[in-house]
Amino acid sequence: MEILSQDEGGVGSASVGHDPVVPPGRPGPRRRRRGRLWGVPWVVLGGWVLVVLVAGMFAAKLGDVQRNEAVDYLPANAESTQVARIQGGLPGGDAMDVQIVYRRDGGLTPADREAAAAGIADVVARHPLVGGSGPAAQESVDHTTLRYALSVDRRGAEPDDIVPDIRTLVERHPDGLSVRVGGPGGITADMQEVFASIDGTLMLASVLVVAVLLMLTYRSPYLWIVPLVCAGVAVAVATATVYGLVRAFGITVTGQSSGVLTVLVFGAGTDYALLLVARYREELRVHERPLEAMFAALRGCGPAVLASSGTVVVGLLCLTAADLNSSRGMGPVGAVGVVCALAVMTTLLPAILVLLGRRVFWPFVPVFGSTPKLGRGAYARIGTAVSRRPIAVLVAGVVLLGAGALTAFGLPGALRQSDGFTKKPESIVAQETLSAAFPEQSGAPIAVLARSERAAGVLAAVGSTAGVEHVRQGRTADGWTEILAFAKDRPESAGEHATIERLRAVPDARVGGPTAQQMDTAHTTARDRRVVVPLVLLAVLLVLIVLLRSLVAPLILVAAVGLVWAASLGLGGLVFEHGFGYAGVDAQTPLLTFVFLVALGVDYGIFLMHRVREMALRGDSVRIAAPAALETTGGVIASAGFVLAATFSVLALLPLVSLVELGFVVAVGVLIDTFLVRTFLVTAASVALDRWIWWPGPLSRRPARGTTGTRPVQPPVSSRKMAV
């Protein structure tokens, strides 16, 4: 592909307007200014090459600092989190509890018991245990299942290293005898294995999805490569930046937030690229030189892109007010990703496009001096239809969204830990086997901590608490004593929840363990919604007010995306329960989908209303400007919505229910916002309110030309000759 200079007029470069006549040998002021600016794209490109070289040295290291322990996903101030931290400092605090389960449906044979004992001996010989010699086997009443509970010393090793080795050591057994490794250690190892594959899977899937959609959008053999390469640069720079923040400030990065970072940068970055390229194409029709056209495009759509990214950044930073560690850590991680995407798409992308010249659009090259064909597209017809009956369209849309929002009140219950995988790994199968074979006891003990001087009284009180089968004293150190209480009811059942509540009423006792952690997480996410949701709404509203110089338009946009979120969440709940067969909704899903949908979904309203305001500043009536702006921006916003929805739907490829639910709700919400809210509702509300949409700003008091109907879209505001 031939690289064109920024001074080349390109195809059809007939001159319109000339520089003032100056004496021979003396360049005019405009040409002198162009001469000073011709090297800007090369400087920008060279600067980004250096940045990428530096970022490449650190981007791959982010996986080394990810934290996927249970504490990293727990509420920061919850009682169960405090218990987990104290347990980590007790003797054997680095221990990893593993349960090895042998089962034969027809009943265990003597050979089965011998094979199980031999396998456990191999495990103990290779992996030292905390607390003494090898464990005794516990056999079920029906003599089909053997259970070995091991507390493995994990100092210097991670669960995803130890557990696979244990599974290898116990895999030798007679035919017909199954053996599975579970327990907290097994679940952690399976979770870490999933997170280890997230980054590569999401990167590859995101690249493929974005590449296909860009090719369909641009219908050019070259153009789609440029935004895709820039998105890849943004991901690399964002990953390296997050790694630096972890090292400098100790922020928590989990596998979940790292995966969302990749999707967010590809989705948001490609959206910004689509908007800029579309505006650049317009400006190439009225500017002879690509550099001038790019400056005009940046000036025209820059405020909308900046406000769009600002809403996402501000919305994500509101997550720092959350108490749940994983949610709070996702805020700065996502914000860094959006800032990096914005920086790349407003500097590197324009530089490359200018250097390549207008022929990068081949075969649909925007000819200098030409005018686009208007008034015959789908969005022109929609704009005309909406402008004729705006009230009817608005009422119908609100009723439709409201009906969908009502389904959010019927969401299935909270997701249990055992139901967190789309395909059950070995650890979950082991847990289900234990629950069926030993229904009289919980699979994991309830951890109770007490000050050592009061431990005897707490131990007695815990043992006499209703719902507790038996208790035993564990470790003691640093003034704390651990008490392990085994519930009569199944893990994560309503009965075990009630038992934990009664134990928390015991004086001087602090209660933790897996089920207590689940309870605290559910309680904390409810608290976080009450705190974060108003913050997000207020922050996004303020950004919109600054951009649009209005109060009415921002309120309409925020209310619309709020309805979209509720409708998408309700629809998601129905699909999760009756379509996917999931047992519940992850506790974080409502809050995270709200933040993403409000922050990202309002972008399309920004793109539309910014163009309406741009035309209103020329003196057009909103009744004319709104349909015309819809026609101008409809195609590019539709493409952006498809790209963003597709990138978030990539999360459905992962085997974690929480990420599948997050991706599904956000993808559905983006599509609803793109094709219903922005296309029909916002346009109808603008036409119905006319200049009052800008109240109390000055545009609400300015007389406008034209009151009804539509007209061909004028060239961009920047169509006048620019002194670059």
Side-chain angles (χ1 to χ4, degrees), residues 28-192:
R30 288 168 54 85
R31 290 182 179 175
R32 286 198 297 268
R33 284 192 290 270
R34 290 174 188 147
R36 290 195 296 268
L37 292 175
W38 77 268
V40 170
W42 287 108
V43 173
V44 172
L45 180 60
W48 274 110
V49 169
L50 294 177
V51 170
V52 171
L53 291 176
V54 175
M57 297 186 293
F58 300 101
K61 296 182 178 181
L62 183 60
D64 299 335
V65 296
Q66 283 185 16
R67 295 162 54 181
N68 292 307
E69 299 290 341
V71 173
D72 302 315
Y73 289 86
L74 293 177
N77 300 310
E79 183 176 334
S80 60
T81 308
Q82 298 171 8
V83 169
R85 289 172 178 161
I86 295 172
Q87 283 182 306
L90 296 177
D94 286 331
M96 180 179 66
D97 294 328
V98 174
Q99 298 193 36
I100 303 177
V101 184
Y102 291 88
R103 179 178 176 83
R104 184 182 290 274
D105 292 337
L108 297 165
T109 66
D112 293 338
R113 295 182 179 89
E114 292 178 5
I120 297 301
D122 289 342
V123 172
V124 174
R126 188 177 179 93
H127 298 283
L129 304 183
V130 175
S133 58
Q138 183 180 9
E139 189 167 331
S140 63
V141 175
D142 60 2
H143 304 293
T144 62
T145 307
L146 285 177
R147 170 190 182 187
Y148 290 88
L150 287 71
S151 187
V152 180
D153 190 341
R154 54 167 288 188
R155 284 177 292 184
E158 293 296 324
D160 56 349
D161 296 323
I162 297 174
V163 171
D165 188 58
I166 293 176
R167 286 170 175 165
T168 300
L169 292 172
V170 299
E171 68 180 4
R172 296 185 297 274
H173 51 77
D175 292 339
L177 178 68
S178 65
V179 56
R180 295 182 175 90
V181 179
I187 293 175
T188 301
D190 288 336
M191 189 74 72
Q192 289 180 345

Side-chain angles (χ1 to χ4, degrees), residues 329-390:
M330 190 177 292
V333 171
V336 166
V338 173
V339 170
C340 290
L342 174 68
V344 171
M345 296 305 177
T346 55
T347 56
L348 178 60
L349 176 65
I352 295 176
L353 290 175
V354 169
L355 292 174
L356 294 176
R358 64 178 72 229
R359 291 183 187 173
V360 73
F361 290 94
W362 185 87
F364 302 100
V365 178
V367 178
F368 173 56
S370 65
T371 57
K373 297 178 181 179
L374 299 172
R376 295 186 296 179
Y379 285 100
R381 293 192 294 272
I382 292 174
T384 301
V386 170
S387 63
R388 289 172 180 167
R389 296 180 177 83

Side-chain angles (χ1 to χ4, degrees), residues 86-455:
I86 295 172
Q87 283 182 306
L90 296 177
D94 286 331
M96 180 179 66
D97 294 328
V98 174
Q99 298 193 36
I100 303 177
V101 184
Y102 291 88
R103 179 178 176 83
R104 184 182 290 274
D105 292 337
L108 297 165
T109 66
D112 293 338
R113 295 182 179 89
E114 292 178 5
I120 297 301
D122 289 342
V123 172
V124 174
R126 188 177 179 93
H127 298 283
L129 304 183
V130 175
S133 58
Q138 183 180 9
E139 189 167 331
S140 63
V141 175
D142 60 2
H143 304 293
T144 62
T145 307
L146 285 177
R147 170 190 182 187
Y148 290 88
L150 287 71
S151 187
V152 180
D153 190 341
R154 54 167 288 188
R155 284 177 292 184
E158 293 296 324
D160 56 349
D161 296 323
I162 297 174
V163 171
D165 188 58
I166 293 176
R167 286 170 175 165
T168 300
L169 292 172
V170 299
E171 68 180 4
R172 296 185 297 274
H173 51 77
D175 292 339
L177 178 68
S178 65
V179 56
R180 295 182 175 90
V181 179
I187 293 175
T188 301
D190 288 336
M191 189 74 72
Q192 289 180 345
E193 181 181 359
V194 168
F195 285 130
S197 65
I198 280 181
D199 291 341
T201 301
L202 288 180
M203 178 65 76
L204 178 60
S206 298
V207 168
L208 291 176
V209 166
V210 172
V212 170
L213 291 177
L214 286 177
M215 283 188 283
L216 294 175
T217 299
Y218 291 135
R219 295 174 292 167
S220 167
Y222 311 119
L223 182 56
W224 64 273
I225 300 175
V226 181
L228 186 63
V229 169
C230 290
V233 169
V235 171
V237 174
T239 304
T241 304
V242 171
Y243 173 79
L245 292 177
V246 173
R247 288 300 190 189
F249 302 104
I251 67 171
T252 299
V253 178
T254 63
Q256 181 187 53
S257 58
S258 177
V260 171
L261 173 66
T262 301
V263 170
L264 185 60
V265 173
F266 264 101
T270 307
D271 273 10
Y272 304 150
L274 285 167
L275 188 68
L276 177 62
V277 172
R279 189 60 180 261
Y280 177 53
R281 184 195 292 269
E282 290 182 44
E283 299 294 348
L284 283 172
R285 299 181 184 276
V286 294
H287 290 278
E288 181 179 0
R289 294 171 176 83
L291 184 60
E292 293 181 356
M294 182 56 72
F295 275 116
L298 287 171
R299 188 175 65 178
C301 69
V305 172
L306 185 62
S308 169
S309 59
T311 58
V312 182
V313 169
V314 170
L316 287 170
L317 289 179
C318 290
L319 282 173
T320 57
D323 190 50
L324 199 66
N325 284 331
S326 54
S327 296
R328 188 172 64 246
M330 190 177 292
V333 171
V336 166
V338 173
V339 170
C340 290
L342 174 68
V344 171
M345 296 305 177
T346 55
T347 56
L348 178 60
L349 176 65
I352 295 176
L353 290 175
V354 169
L355 292 174
L356 294 176
R358 64 178 72 229
R359 291 183 187 173
V360 73
F361 290 94
W362 185 87
F364 302 100
V365 178
V367 178
F368 173 56
S370 65
T371 57
K373 297 178 181 179
L374 299 172
R376 295 186 296 179
Y379 285 100
R381 293 192 294 272
I382 292 174
T384 301
V386 170
S387 63
R388 289 172 180 167
R389 296 180 177 83
I391 300 298
V393 171
L394 186 62
V395 171
V398 171
V399 170
L400 183 61
L401 278 180
L406 291 176
T407 61
F409 292 100
L411 290 176
L415 193 70
R416 301 181 304 171
Q417 184 186 50
S418 58
D419 298 319
F421 297 87
T422 57
K423 296 181 180 179
K424 295 178 183 177
E426 182 176 328
S427 58
I428 299 301
V429 176
Q431 180 175 317
E432 293 177 345
T433 301
L434 288 175
S435 297
F438 302 94
E440 71 281 0
Q441 60 183 257
S442 174
I446 301 169
V448 181
L449 291 180
R451 286 294 181 181
S452 298
E453 64 272 14
R454 301 173 182 173

Side-chain angles (χ1 to χ4, degrees), residues 593-607:
T593 54
F594 177 84
V595 172
F596 282 117
L597 276 179
V598 171
L600 292 170
V602 80
D603 286 1
Y604 305 122
I606 289 176
F607 297 158

